Structure formats: structure tokens, C-alpha cells
Amino acid sequence: MSHAVTIQEPQAQPQVSQTRYRERSRAGSHISSNRAYDFLYDPLFIVSSEKDHTQANIQATLIRSRLRKVPRFKTMFSNLIHYPRYSLYWSKSDPVPPFISREWKGHEEKHREALRQLAITDTSFQMPREVYEDPEVTGKNRYKYFERPFLPFFQQMPFNVVYAISKAEPYTFPPTSTKHLSIPSKLTVGTQTDYRDADVQTDPYSPEYVVCQDSIPELLTLATLTWGRGLPAGQAEVEMIERAREKRAWEATLPALSDTSQFEKRRKMMNEMERKEWAFREQEIEKLQEIRLEVLKELLRKREENQNEVNMKHLNARWSKLQEAKEAKMAKIQRTHVSSNAIRKLVGKGKNIEGKLERRNIIKDYSDYASQVYGPLSRLGCFPDNNSEDFVVKNYYLNTYEGLVELESHLPDFVTQPRIRAPKPKVITTKAGFLKRAARLDYELAEVHKALLGKKNKVLEARKPPRFLQRNPIPQPRLPTPTLEMTSNEEEEIEMAVIYLQKLLRGRVVQNMMFEGKEKRLELIQELRTCHALQENEKLVKKAEKQVTLALQRQRNLHEHKVSLVENPLAGLEGRALADMFDFLSKELVRLQEERRIHAFVMLAERQRRVREAEESGRRQVEKQRLREEDEIFKEAIKVHHSTISSYLEDIILNTEANTAEEQARAEIEKMAEKINDIAYEIESRRTCLQSEEIVAELVYSFLIPEVQKYFVKEKVRNAQRKHILAAHQIIHSCTESMVQKRLTEGQQDESSNAAMLLEKETQNENNS
């Protein structure tokens, strides 16, 4: 159980709080959500199938780390693959006790579900009563029956606890009085443990019940429905309940079995109900088939879409490869063309390195058909198509209609009036009337085509039954064999010799046919001879052969018996040795496979660890970089705040000083002005005309004339210094422009160097990862 502690830090130290938050998050990230063997111990830990149970077992085995690393002292500090630092050994100690079953518990649930379905469909089937184990409400399972595990404040209300009934005591109904229950002052509502607690129960608690005698509550017919398997009830469960009610009502209307007169009626009713049940079952099967068909259509559609996407990807990849090959080929052709032109130019220059002028060799030019005489080049200033209109033929007879008519009048008649003669048939026979060899194949093909067309177009006419007796046609008698009249005895002897020779040949042919037939059926003939020997001598010979054969068989059996007496123990020994050897080899093979599989798991885990370390190092570097950036940003922000505060205070102080000085000066000036006014008024009252003229003259000579002289002197100095100022401005501007250009070039070089350094860091990070 993970304990999370939240620490609040003041706002003046943001970096410390961020660091502690990161440490707290890293500490919590290594805590797993469940224990390794929850699938064996925890009754609330449910896996969906046997495959998931096996996978959980494998994960628990790997997480438990029964592999022990034993270091090799010779290669303890080696980093080479073929000289490992340690060896892996499988520990024989099992953390799970032997009496804990490792098998999947879902087979029992499947068996119970099959029994529930059978009880729903067949009312005659009695569902075996489930024997529940003691829930131990007041014992170790007490925490499961509280309404909530923790109450932060005290509340005077009875807690919701259901206690198990003792088996020895009979069940007693609670009193019906409504008196106020006494509530104790202190209650233990919940406990907090370091073990895994389930906040929500998978199955609601079902208390035990007692059924009165001679009563069958309708609610007990739904005992097969459990939470998650029919509860809470939906439309299908409501329809099932209604069908069960109808069936019970129908069973109540059935005639009794003791009434023999109503037996036929009972049979008809049961047959009708069976037909209805079969029709309902067929409807359910059709609905399931429709649902499966829709699912199959959806899967086929998705598969077709995926296949189309894969085909499009393959086509795009193929098209891109062909485009790349085409572009590469075109680039290669272009490079070859450029290189050939360059080589041709170099060869041409190499022929005349010194650049000497050569005289024209007229004989060589006219003997070489690739020279400028036969094929001048336009880039050398020669255009063969110039003035080509000079060579155009201009003729009166070809360019004018009158000339064409006159030319046509002079043509002979066979040109304007052609004579067409019919082609002569091709001769395909010789003078003797035989087909030529070239036309024989065409003739045979034509005959075959004609026969095929005849068979194709032939219409079978239905044979009509004879209405009257029909007379069988009598075949014409065979013509007599012509005989040759002999003119002499020699010819007759020759003819007889030929006939005799024919007879011999025909007889020999028949003998050969008989011999071949006898050879083919020789075994059948021998079998017939052994079974149907008619002569006494042959029977005696067969009897003697039989006795000899039986004697040989007895001798062979005796020999085989002796050999078997010797070979059976040897075969048993060999079999045991081979069985032991094969058993050892099979076990070694299994061990080797398991060892390789474990090695593969170890390699995968090591690879994943390296990948995670690389990712973590990259994240750590990024985090450090970000922290440095945030620190710099924070420092700059603090500097800005300090500078703004100091400037703000300075402005306030200066403004206040200026205002106070201005007020004091105004007050002093007002006092001085009052004094001067008083003195001036006194002087004005005592002044004469001569004194006023003297004052005016003094003012003109002391104020006006010096100011005018001072202005003229300033103008002379300004005019004298203007040329020096212009020269200084030109020098300063030229120096500043050169410095600005220099700074710009240095900034670009710094940016390029920083970019190169960043690229090198990124490549190093990729290599490390």
C-alpha cells in the first residue's frame, strides 16, 4: 500500500517544491497496482480466460525473479558477450505453497453455467444445491460487510453489518416492535490495512433463507440467475420468466397421468408444446445466425478495407520505387552525356595541344562522310536549308489546271481505264490427279471443319414408334470371290505355296496370341491346376509337395522360436536402453528449449531495460536543460523586478525632490519679489527724469549690447567648427559601419557554430539511445 504525503512549501522557493514533487512522483511510479500472485490468492481477482491465467502465471514467475545471478570470478569485470560476467541459474524454491492450486478456476464456472442453462430449458432437471463456505462475517471477512471503510467524523447511526447465522441455532424472525435501538457511544466502523482492499464487491451479498413447508415461492425459480449472469434482469430475462410462467400454467392444465381416458389428450398437448418449443428454438437460432452473419459481414468489410489499404500502400511503394529508379536512370544518362561531351572536348583539345593551325586536307574531308563537307554543322555558321526555294521545281504542267488537263490528254487508255481480270484458281492437284503436299493439310483441315460443322448443326430427330409391322431389310448377297485362272502348273504351285505361307503366318499369329494370354494368366492356370488336379500322379506329387512344405514350415517355426528365445531378452535390454536414452534426450531437449526461451526473455528484458535507461537519460537531460532554462528565466525575471522597483523608487524620489525644491524656490522667490517690489516702489516714488534715463542707458549697455555681441561671436565659432564637425562625422560613420558589418559576420559564424554543436549533441544522444 503506497502512502502519499503532500508537503506545502512557501511561494518564495519554487525550485525546491518542484524538486520535491518530482522526487515524490518518481517514488510513486515504481509501485505496482496489484501483487504478483493475486490470481491465485485473491478471490476478487478475475481473469477472463485460461490463456490470461497462464500469462499472469508467466508474468508472476518473471517478476518474482527466480533466476539467480551467480558471478564468474574469472570474467567478473568483462563486458564481452562471449565472456559473460555472471551465469543465470533457476532457483528451486517456489514462493507458492504446494497445497495452493495453480489451475484456472473458470472450468467450474463453465460447468455451473451449463447446469444453469439446462435447468432453464428443462424443468424436470433438479439443479444441485450449491454449498457455500462459511463467510466468516465476524472473523477475517468482517471488513467486506461494512457500508464504507472509513468515516472521518463521528455519527450516531447503526452501521450496516450482516452477521452469519450459527448453524447450531435455529433461525428466529426479528421482533416486530418499533422500539428505539440502543446505540453505543463508540463504534468501530472500519479498519485500514496495508493489504489490497476491494472498494466494490463483484457479487452483491445474498443472505441465507428458509422456505416454509408445502410452499414453492416463484422467486426460487430464478435462483440460477446471478449477478452478471442474468442480473440485473433485462428484456431477455423478462421474456424467459414469462415463458416459464406460461409453461407452469400449461403444466397445471395437463391431465393427470393416472387418468387413462385423458392419456391421448395429454399426448396431443405435449406434442403441441414440443412443436412450439422447437419453433421458438429455431427462431432463437435464426436470430443468433443473423447476428453472427452481421458480425461476419462487418469483419469481411474490415478485412477488405485493410486489404485495400495494404494494396494501395504496396502500389504506392512500388510506384515510388519505379519513379526513383526512373529518376536515377535519367540522372545517370545525363551524367554520361555530360561526361562524354567533356571527354570529347578534351580529346579534341588533346589532338592539338600547341594550338597550331593545320591546312585543310581536301582528300580526307571528301573521303570521310562525317566531315563538314557532307554534314556541315549550323553552330559553325553553315545552314544547308538557306535558299532552298531556289531548287523548287516550277512546271506549267504540274502547277496549273490547264497543264494537268493537257498532260492527261496525252496519257494512254490503259492508265485512265484500268482492266481488272479475275484471278485464276490455284492449282492444288498434280497431272496424275493427286493432291499436292502443300494443299493436303489444308484439304484435311477443311474436311475436319466440315465434319465438326455437320455434327454441330445436326438435329437429333425423335424416333417415332412403328405403327405397323416393318420388314427387316435383307442384305444383298456377297459377291463371289474372284478366281484367277492359271495358265500353267508353275503358277498354280506358286499360288499354293503363297497360300500355305499365309496359313503358316496366320497360325503363328494365333499361337503368339495364345502364348501371350497364357503368360498373362499363368498364376490363374496354376491355381486351377492345384485345385482341380484330375490325375492320380499329380495328386501324389502335390501331396508330397505339401508334406515337404509342412516340414519346412515346422523347421522354420522351431528355428524362429529358438531365435526369439534368444532375441527377446536382448530386444528388451535394447528397448530399455533406447527408452532411457530417448527419455534423457527428450528431457535435455525440453531443458535446452526452456533455457533458450529464458535466455530470450532475459535478452528482451535487458534490451527493454537499456531502451528505458536511454529514454530516462534523454528525459533527464531534457529535464536538466529545462530546469537550467527555468532558473535563468527566473533569475532574469527577478533582475527585471529589482530593476523596475529601483527605477520606480528612484523616479518617485526624484519627483518628490523636484516638487519640494520647486515649492521652496517659489516661496523664496515670492518673498524676494515682495522685498524687491517694496524697494522698487520706494525708488520709483523718489526717482527723477535724469535718473530714469541713466537707468535705461545702463540697461542697454549692460544687457542688450553684450547679448548681441555674444550672439555674433557664437555664430562665428559655429561657422568655424562646422567643417571640423563634418569631418569627424564622416570618420565616425565609416568606423561604425565597418564595426557593424564585422559584428554581423561574427554573429553568423557564432550561430553556425552553435548549430553544428547542437547537431553533434543530437547525434551523440541518438547513438547513446
Side-chain angles (χ1 to χ4, degrees):
M1 182 174 179
S2 62
H3 300 276
V5 180
T6 305
I7 300 172
Q8 294 183 355
E9 294 289 337
Q11 297 295 330
Q13 297 178 358
Q15 298 297 327
V16 178
S17 62
Q18 291 178 4
T19 308
R20 294 190 179 183
Y21 174 75
R22 284 193 295 272
E23 292 176 358
R24 190 164 60 251
S25 63
R26 289 171 188 167
S29 62
H30 295 288
I31 298 170
S32 60
S33 59
N34 52 9
R35 277 94 41 105
Y37 293 97
D38 272 349
F39 66 99
L40 297 178
Y41 292 97
D42 196 348
L44 303 179
F45 190 96
I46 299 171
V47 292
S48 60
S49 63
E50 190 173 4
K51 182 179 179 181
D52 294 339
H53 180 81
T54 307
Q55 188 175 4
N57 192 5
I58 293 171
Q59 289 179 358
T61 304
L62 294 176
I63 291 170
R64 186 64 184 175
S65 182
R66 293 178 66 185
L67 294 172
R68 296 290 181 263
K69 293 183 180 180
V70 179
R72 294 185 179 181
F73 295 98
K74 293 183 179 180
T75 59
M76 184 179 292
F77 302 98
S78 173
N79 290 323
L80 300 177
I81 298 174
H82 52 281
Y83 292 107
R85 291 176 291 177
Y86 56 87
S87 300
L88 294 174
Y89 290 89
W90 186 260
S91 179
K92 295 181 180 179
S93 62
D94 194 358
V96 181
F99 62 88
I100 298 295
S101 178
R102 287 180 177 267
E103 296 181 356
W104 184 46
K105 301 175 183 178
H107 297 294
E108 298 177 1
E109 292 293 332
K110 289 183 178 180
H111 182 63
R112 293 197 197 99
E113 183 64 21
L115 292 177
R116 292 192 193 100
Q117 295 293 334
L118 183 61
I120 292 169
T121 55
D122 190 5
T123 55
S124 63
F125 177 76
Q126 294 294 331
M127 182 74 181
R129 186 175 180 182
E130 295 183 5
V131 179
Y132 296 98
E133 62 180 359
D134 187 10
E136 297 184 11
V137 177
T138 59
K140 64 179 182 180
N141 295 329
R142 183 182 177 189
Y143 71 96
K144 296 181 181 179
Y145 300 94
F146 287 109
E147 188 175 1
R148 51 184 179 272
F150 178 71
L151 289 175
F153 56 88
F154 180 77
Q155 187 176 4
Q156 290 291 339
M157 63 179 293
F159 49 91
N160 186 10
V161 181
V162 180
Y163 292 98
I165 301 170
S166 178
K167 296 181 179 178
E169 297 177 0
Y171 182 82
T172 57
F173 290 93
T176 57
S177 62
T178 58
K179 293 182 179 180
H180 181 68
L181 297 174
S182 61
I183 300 174
S185 61
K186 293 182 180 180
L187 299 174
T188 303
V189 177
T191 57
Q192 192 78 12
T193 65
D194 289 338
Y195 299 98
R196 184 175 180 268
D197 297 333
D199 296 332
V200 181
Q201 296 179 359
T202 55
D203 294 339
Y205 174 68
S206 300
E208 296 183 0
Y209 54 86
V210 176
V211 180
C212 298
Q213 293 182 357
D214 300 333
S215 65
I216 302 174
E218 187 181 4
L219 189 62
L220 290 181
T221 58
L222 305 177
T224 56
L225 301 179
T226 59
W227 185 264
R229 299 180 182 272
L231 291 178
Q235 184 179 0
E237 286 76 14
V238 172
E239 291 178 356
M240 182 190 70
I241 292 167
E242 292 295 331
R243 286 197 304 272
R245 286 177 177 175
E246 291 177 0
K247 191 169 183 181
R248 286 196 296 273
W250 172 78
E251 287 176 353
T253 59
L254 280 175
L257 287 172
S258 59
D259 191 358
T260 58
S261 61
Q262 299 291 332
F263 184 75
E264 189 65 24
K265 182 180 178 180
R266 180 184 177 88
R267 187 177 61 80
K268 289 181 180 179
M269 291 175 69
M270 291 182 71
N271 290 336
E272 186 179 357
M273 179 56 70
E274 188 176 0
R275 284 195 295 273
K276 288 182 180 179
E277 288 180 353
W278 276 110
F280 175 73
R281 182 59 180 164
E282 287 177 356
Q283 290 178 1
E284 286 187 344
I285 291 170
E286 288 177 358
K287 289 180 182 178
L288 289 174
Q289 287 177 352
E290 289 177 358
I291 293 169
R292 289 176 181 174
L293 186 61
E294 291 296 330
V295 173
L296 184 61
K297 286 181 180 178
E298 186 66 22
L299 290 175
L300 289 174
R301 186 182 62 79
K302 289 182 180 179
R303 188 183 70 177
E304 189 174 359
E305 290 178 357
N306 295 332
Q307 189 65 31
N308 291 334
E309 289 179 0
V310 172
N311 292 336
M312 287 300 295
K313 287 180 181 178
H314 289 173
L315 288 174
N316 292 333
R318 182 63 178 169
W319 184 80
S320 62
K321 286 183 180 179
L322 292 175
Q323 287 293 113
E324 290 176 359
K326 176 185 172 184
E327 292 176 358
K329 194 171 183 179
M330 291 178 66
K332 184 178 179 181
I333 292 170
Q334 188 70 20
R335 288 195 300 271
T336 306
H337 176 68
V338 172
S339 62
S340 62
N341 287 338
I343 290 169
R344 180 175 53 79
K345 290 178 181 179
L346 289 173
V347 170
K349 290 180 180 179
K351 289 180 180 178
N352 191 5
I353 299 174
E354 298 179 358
K356 294 181 180 180
L357 297 176
E358 295 181 358
R359 290 191 179 188
R360 181 185 175 189
N361 192 351
I362 299 174
I363 297 171
K364 183 178 179 182
D365 291 343
Y366 279 92
S367 62
D368 186 9
Y369 291 101
S371 63
Q372 295 290 324
V373 176
Y374 296 100
L377 298 176
S378 58
R379 61 187 174 85
L380 297 178
C382 184
F383 300 96
D385 294 338
N386 287 348
N387 302 323
S388 59
E389 62 274 3
D390 296 339
F391 301 101
V392 177
V393 177
K394 297 178 181 180
N395 195 347
Y396 167 76
Y397 295 104
L398 297 177
N399 295 338
T400 60
Y401 177 73
E402 292 81 4
L404 288 173
V405 172
E406 187 179 353
L407 185 63
E408 187 178 354
S409 63
H410 292 290
L411 293 175
D413 295 336
F414 70 88
V415 177
T416 58
Q417 298 177 0
R419 299 179 182 88
I420 300 173
R421 296 179 181 178
K424 294 181 180 180
K426 191 177 181 180
V427 179
I428 57 174
T429 57
T430 59
K431 294 180 179 180
F434 298 102
L435 284 173
K436 291 183 179 179
R437 183 176 296 176
R440 191 177 299 166
L441 182 61
D442 297 338
Y443 179 75
E444 291 177 356
L445 291 174
E447 290 292 331
V448 171
H449 181 64
K450 191 184 294 182
L452 291 174
L453 288 176
K455 287 184 179 180
K456 184 178 181 182
N457 299 327
K458 186 177 180 181
V459 180
L460 297 176
E461 297 180 357
R463 187 176 181 183
K464 297 180 180 179
R467 295 179 62 187
F468 306 102
L469 293 175
Q470 293 181 358
R471 185 176 181 181
N472 292 328
I474 299 173
Q476 293 182 2
R478 190 175 179 182
L479 295 175
T481 304
T483 57
L484 184 63
E485 294 182 357
M486 301 297 171
T487 57
S488 62
N489 294 330
E490 293 180 358
E491 292 179 357
E492 187 176 359
E493 290 178 358
I494 291 169
E495 184 182 1
M496 294 301 292
V498 170
I499 292 170
Y500 182 70
L501 182 59
Q502 288 178 355
K503 289 180 179 179
L504 287 175
L505 292 174
R506 288 172 182 168
R508 196 63 179 173
V509 169
V510 172
Q511 286 180 358
N512 289 333
M513 291 172 63
M514 290 177 66
F515 181 75
E516 289 178 358
K518 183 177 75 69
E519 288 294 330
K520 287 180 181 179
R521 296 168 179 81
L522 184 61
E523 295 179 357
L524 183 59
I525 293 170
Q526 291 178 358
E527 184 179 356
L528 292 172
R529 283 180 179 177
T530 54
C531 296
H532 303 282
L534 301 176
Q535 296 180 3
E536 191 67 26
N537 294 330
E538 292 179 354
K539 289 182 180 180
L540 293 174
V541 170
K542 294 295 181 184
K543 189 175 181 180
E545 289 178 357
K546 183 179 180 181
Q547 290 178 357
V548 171
T549 304
L550 291 173
L552 291 173
Q553 286 180 356
R554 284 194 294 271
Q555 290 179 2
R556 187 182 64 185
N557 291 333
L558 288 172
H559 180 68
E560 288 179 355
H561 180 66
K562 292 179 182 179
V563 171
S564 64
L565 290 175
V566 177
E567 289 182 352
N568 285 336
L570 295 175
L573 293 173
E574 291 177 358
R576 283 194 292 273
L578 289 173
D580 295 338
M581 183 177 67
F582 288 147
D583 185 24
F584 175 74
L585 291 176
S586 64
K587 289 179 180 178
E588 285 294 319
L589 179 61
V590 170
R591 186 188 65 77
L592 183 60
Q593 291 176 352
E594 291 294 328
E595 185 177 354
R596 289 183 178 178
R597 187 171 64 83
I598 292 165
H599 181 67
F601 280 140
V602 171
M603 294 296 290
L604 288 173
E606 190 70 20
R607 181 168 173 245
Q608 190 175 7
R609 183 184 65 78
R610 291 198 195 97
V611 171
R612 287 182 178 177
E613 286 180 355
E615 293 176 354
E616 186 65 27
S617 64
R619 286 196 294 269
R620 194 178 295 111
Q621 291 178 1
V622 172
E623 186 71 20
K624 289 181 179 179
Q625 184 69 23
R626 189 172 61 80
L627 287 175
R628 286 195 294 270
E629 292 176 357
E630 290 178 355
D631 292 339
E632 291 295 329
I633 292 168
F634 180 74
K635 289 178 182 179
E636 293 295 329
I638 294 298
K639 287 181 182 178
V640 170
H641 291 329
H642 286 307
S643 62
T644 51
I645 290 167
S646 60
S647 62
Y648 176 70
L649 294 174
E650 187 177 354
D651 291 338
I652 291 171
I653 292 167
L654 290 174
N655 289 329
T656 52
E657 287 179 354
N659 292 329
T660 53
E662 186 178 0
E663 290 176 356
Q664 290 178 1
R666 188 178 289 112
E668 291 177 358
I669 289 168
E670 286 177 355
K671 291 179 181 179
M672 187 68 68
E674 288 177 357
K675 291 180 181 180
I676 292 170
N677 284 334
D678 295 337
I679 295 168
Y681 288 148
E682 267 183 50
I683 294 170
E684 188 69 25
S685 60
R686 299 174 185 176
R687 188 181 58 189
T688 61
C689 183
L690 184 60
Q691 290 177 351
S692 59
E693 288 178 358
E694 287 179 357
I695 291 168
V696 170
E698 189 177 355
L699 288 172
V700 167
Y701 279 104
S702 61
F703 289 101
L704 183 60
I705 293 172
E707 284 293 329
V708 173
Q709 289 177 356
K710 192 186 295 181
Y711 177 74
F712 280 116
V713 170
K714 286 182 180 179
E715 283 293 328
K716 287 181 182 180
V717 172
R718 188 181 294 111
N719 291 329
Q721 291 179 353
R722 185 172 294 168
K723 56 183 179 180
H724 301 291
I725 291 169
L726 288 174
H729 277 300
Q730 289 179 358
I731 293 167
I732 290 166
H733 282 299
S734 62
C735 293
T736 53
E737 286 179 357
S738 62
M739 289 296 291
V740 168
Q741 292 292 333
K742 187 176 180 181
R743 287 291 178 86
L744 288 174
T745 53
E746 288 178 356
Q748 291 178 357
Q749 289 178 0
D750 293 338
E751 289 179 357
S752 62
S753 62
N754 291 331
M757 290 174 67
L758 287 174
L759 286 174
E760 289 179 358
K761 287 183 179 179
E762 288 180 358
T763 52
Q764 287 179 0
N765 292 330
E766 290 179 356
N767 294 327
N768 294 328
S769 62

